[in-house]
Amino acid sequence: MNKQPLFILVLCFILGIVFQDQFSLNKTAIFIFAGICSAIFATLFFKSYLIHKSKSVLLGIMFFGIGIIIHCCNMVTSSETNFDSSKKTVVFKISKKLNSNEKYKNYECIAQVGKKYFSSIVRIPVERDQLDFDHYYKVEAFIGKLKPPQYDFQFDYSHYLKRKNIGYQLYVSNEILSVPRTDLDIQEKIKQKRLKVLQNIDNTDISAQSREFLKGIILADRTEIDSSVVQDFSRSGLVHFLAISGTHIMVIFGLFYFLFKLVLPLKFRRYTIIISLVFLWFFAAFIGFGNSVLRSCTMLTVYFIYVLLQRKPDVLHSMALSAFIILIFDTHQLFNIGFQLSFIAVLGIFWLNQPILKCLPKQDGYGKKLIFNTISISISAQLATLPLVLYYFHQFSFISILANFVIVPFSELIIMLSFGMAGLIALHLDFDIINMVYDFVIHGLLKSIHWFADFDFLFFENISMNLVEVFLLSIIIYVLRFVFLKFNFKNIMRFIILSLMFFIVRSGFNIKENQREEILVHQVGKDKVLSIKDGNRAYFWMANTSDREKVIKYVINPYSSSRRLKNIELKSLEGITKKIIYKSKIYDIN
């Protein structure tokens, strides 16, 4: 507590959030915790030997209680609104553009039916014109309540949206009427400006892939990007490069700092940092204060506050303070996968980077420092995030280490080029030669990433992982630091024992899961898929007309990783067959 007080207190705050999220304490319990926190806060002003000795424990309890209280406030939602299955006349305005699919363009919106207001997802046919923030829209639409998934292994999209207070979706097929708005607030005006820039990018002469890459890497808009490109980034372990992350924010801050340093004299160097941070936050506001953008900007700002106050920057203090600032405004951010991965990655770099560097050859030149630092940072971040990546995505690619080593050193150049390109397009400046150069560079980058993604034998998917295994694997990675620092018998044995414990526990879960036998009927759109699990093997029956890729993506892969399957067999239902025979038993799909 004496070495990292802020970090430990924020951990207590986070535990309070998790506790409230799991147990949902009632108002009486919340008032009790509020009273305890107030009493602890009051006692801290009294000088007493007993209080002084127990101060750390009391502060931990207080921050735990604050986490419970604040998350309780954030969990308060409006009363549910019920609609029948008939069409309703809906008036709505969009609040966010979401990813499109092959059928629909999707948006978050604030909708009104009669005198009832509610947040919803609106889905319009993909061939319709894009919606904007400048209009109110009126349409006849079906209102569907978001439902939990059919089975436990499926992603709970309704729970994810519930954290954003969204419980409905509108399906639009009729003509949409629009009326210009005159009540846009500042945030909506900024969103509309960003939308205009995105539309300007769509009207340029660069290729579609380059346009979508530019919108994703600078303006945080991946809503129209080709699914094959996203898959390449995912399989090569470079998906962090596609989304705006700490690297992007650092490069953009560096650009601002470089430009203002040229303008302002040396004695105003402190103000150069401040002005650069202000412009960075303007940029963050322009691209919509996305979760990853907000996290990166907050962490960078906290770091430079230490610099401006002439205090030695402390990574754990900076990270803890950034997390606390973000969570104090929105505790639901804690359950965002990006939030967890980004902070764990920084923690991993703090914990493992220097020990890994000591194991690498001596860095006695700028070139060697750049190469080996890139390798060590990449390995540190990937090792630290590995348990969560396996838990959430059930996949891992060994090629990601090499891909990051090759691609990441060029990331600064790509980001600066893309930032300049977006700036020119925003100013309606279009130069054919610059378009050609940008197209050439991005096509080369995407081909390189596709080449890495094609190493199928280094890519593993449907990897099973539960929270107990995540915890044990995290401890093993924690112990790795001591192995790297001091390669002796004690540290090696500690690592080996923990690894054996992990594999024993994992084998136990595998054996337990393989004893389960179950028969399920999965609904995929209008089609049904029958699955029969027998030990570590499962059989899936689907109609010939079923979308095979969709069934594999949304049913077979999640089911395989959840049930720890080793063998999967797909079978086709002939004609209008509704019954199948398996092991002398007849199963009716209906």
Side-chain angles (χ1 to χ4, degrees), residues 419-558:
F419 186 78
M421 189 75 182
L424 290 174
I425 293 172
L427 297 172
H428 300 281
L429 299 174
D430 193 7
F431 301 100
D432 291 338
I433 185 65
I434 296 178
N435 292 345
M436 289 174 60
V437 170
Y438 187 77
D439 238 348
F440 175 79
V441 171
I442 300 306
H443 273 283
L445 174 70
L446 296 179
K447 285 182 179 178
S448 301
I449 293 171
H450 180 71
W451 183 79
F452 284 116
D454 269 349
F455 283 87
D456 292 333
F457 66 95
L458 293 174
F459 179 75
F460 300 88
E461 58 183 344
N462 299 334
I463 302 171
S464 305
M465 186 70 60
N466 61 29
L467 287 174
V468 175
E469 292 166 308
V470 167
F471 177 73
L472 289 174
L473 189 56
S474 298
I475 293 176
I476 292 170
I477 293 168
Y478 172 84
V479 169
L480 268 178
R481 172 185 172 90
F482 307 106
V483 176
F484 289 139
L485 287 175
K486 197 171 184 180
F487 195 75
N488 57 20
F489 179 78
K490 179 183 176 182
N491 289 333
I492 294 170
M493 287 306 299
R494 187 188 300 173
F495 175 78
I496 292 173
I497 291 170
L498 285 170
S499 299
L500 286 173
M501 186 185 299
F502 170 78
F503 285 111
I504 290 169
V505 171
R506 185 169 177 80
S507 298
F509 283 118
N510 289 341
I511 293 169
K512 181 182 177 182
E513 194 58 54
N514 289 339
Q515 291 175 344
R516 181 195 303 201
E517 295 185 1
E518 64 181 358
I519 302 163
L520 301 176
V521 177
H522 313 266
Q523 190 74 41
V524 185
K526 295 181 180 179
D527 298 325
K528 291 183 178 179
V529 178
L530 175 70
S531 69
I532 298 178
K533 180 182 178 296
D534 185 8
N536 63 7
R537 178 186 294 271
Y539 302 88
F540 293 85
W541 281 267
M542 68 182 78
N544 289 326
T545 55
S546 297
D547 189 330
R548 190 183 181 91
E549 289 188 7
K550 185 179 286 187
V551 171
I552 291 173
K553 182 177 180 181
Y554 295 110
V555 174
I556 295 177
N557 285 348

Side-chain angles (χ1 to χ4, degrees), residues 28 76 107 122 124 146 154 156 184 221 241 253 334-335 347 376 407 443 451 456 554 590:
T28 303
V76 175
Y107 303 86
V122 58
I124 66 170
L146 288 164
Q154 296 171 305
D156 194 344
L184 270 74
D221 184 280
F241 182 56
F253 171 81
L334 179 63
F335 306 98
L347 190 60
S376 63
I407 300 298
H443 273 283
W451 183 79
D456 292 333
Y554 295 110
N590 293 321

Side-chain angles (χ1 to χ4, degrees), residues 273-541:
I273 295 175
I274 295 172
I275 295 171
S276 300
L277 287 173
V278 169
F279 272 80
L280 182 69
W281 279 100
F282 278 137
F283 171 76
F286 183 75
I287 62 176
F289 281 132
N291 294 331
S292 61
V293 177
L294 188 61
R295 288 191 298 271
S296 302
C297 289
T298 304
M299 291 180 73
L300 188 68
T301 303
V302 170
Y303 176 86
F304 277 106
I305 287 174
Y306 275 92
V307 173
L308 291 171
L309 294 175
Q310 297 183 342
R311 294 183 61 184
K312 184 181 178 181
D314 185 288
V315 175
L316 286 184
H317 277 175
S318 301
M319 184 177 67
L321 186 56
S322 302
F324 185 70
I325 292 170
I326 293 169
L327 294 176
I328 205 79
F329 290 104
D330 183 9
T331 51
H332 289 293
Q333 284 288 327
L334 179 63
F335 306 98
N336 181 282
I337 297 173
F339 179 94
Q340 296 173 20
L341 290 176
S342 61
F343 280 98
I344 291 294
V346 174
L347 190 60
I349 293 169
F350 165 81
W351 190 247
L352 294 174
N353 184 45
Q354 288 303 318
I356 291 174
L357 272 177
K358 288 184 178 180
C359 298
L360 296 174
K362 188 177 180 181
Q363 301 98 52
D364 52 1
Y366 177 78
K368 288 184 178 180
K369 283 183 180 179
L370 178 63
I371 292 171
F372 291 127
N373 266 282
T374 301
I375 294 172
S376 63
I377 289 173
S378 177
I379 293 174
S380 302
Q382 289 192 59
L383 280 174
T385 56
L386 179 62
L388 285 182
V389 168
L390 295 179
Y391 177 71
Y392 285 119
F393 305 109
H394 307 291
Q395 64 181 36
F396 180 74
S397 176
F398 282 102
I399 199 65
S400 62
I401 296 173
L402 178 60
N404 276 276
F405 170 65
V406 174
I407 300 298
V408 168
F410 297 101
S411 61
E412 292 187 18
L413 177 63
I414 299 295
I415 294 168
M416 287 190 288
L417 182 61
S418 299
F419 186 78
M421 189 75 182
L424 290 174
I425 293 172
L427 297 172
H428 300 281
L429 299 174
D430 193 7
F431 301 100
D432 291 338
I433 185 65
I434 296 178
N435 292 345
M436 289 174 60
V437 170
Y438 187 77
D439 238 348
F440 175 79
V441 171
I442 300 306
H443 273 283
L445 174 70
L446 296 179
K447 285 182 179 178
S448 301
I449 293 171
H450 180 71
W451 183 79
F452 284 116
D454 269 349
F455 283 87
D456 292 333
F457 66 95
L458 293 174
F459 179 75
F460 300 88
E461 58 183 344
N462 299 334
I463 302 171
S464 305
M465 186 70 60
N466 61 29
L467 287 174
V468 175
E469 292 166 308
V470 167
F471 177 73
L472 289 174
L473 189 56
S474 298
I475 293 176
I476 292 170
I477 293 168
Y478 172 84
V479 169
L480 268 178
R481 172 185 172 90
F482 307 106
V483 176
F484 289 139
L485 287 175
K486 197 171 184 180
F487 195 75
N488 57 20
F489 179 78
K490 179 183 176 182
N491 289 333
I492 294 170
M493 287 306 299
R494 187 188 300 173
F495 175 78
I496 292 173
I497 291 170
L498 285 170
S499 299
L500 286 173
M501 186 185 299
F502 170 78
F503 285 111
I504 290 169
V505 171
R506 185 169 177 80
S507 298
F509 283 118
N510 289 341
I511 293 169
K512 181 182 177 182
E513 194 58 54
N514 289 339
Q515 291 175 344
R516 181 195 303 201
E517 295 185 1
E518 64 181 358
I519 302 163
L520 301 176
V521 177
H522 313 266
Q523 190 74 41
V524 185
K526 295 181 180 179
D527 298 325
K528 291 183 178 179
V529 178
L530 175 70
S531 69
I532 298 178
K533 180 182 178 296
D534 185 8
N536 63 7
R537 178 186 294 271
Y539 302 88
F540 293 85
W541 281 267

Side-chain angles (χ1 to χ4, degrees), residues 125-139:
V126 72
E127 64 273 7
R128 297 286 185 89
D129 291 336
Q130 194 174 89
L131 306 184
D132 59 37
F133 300 90
D134 273 340
H135 293 83
Y136 282 110
Y137 297 96
K138 184 178 182 180
V139 69

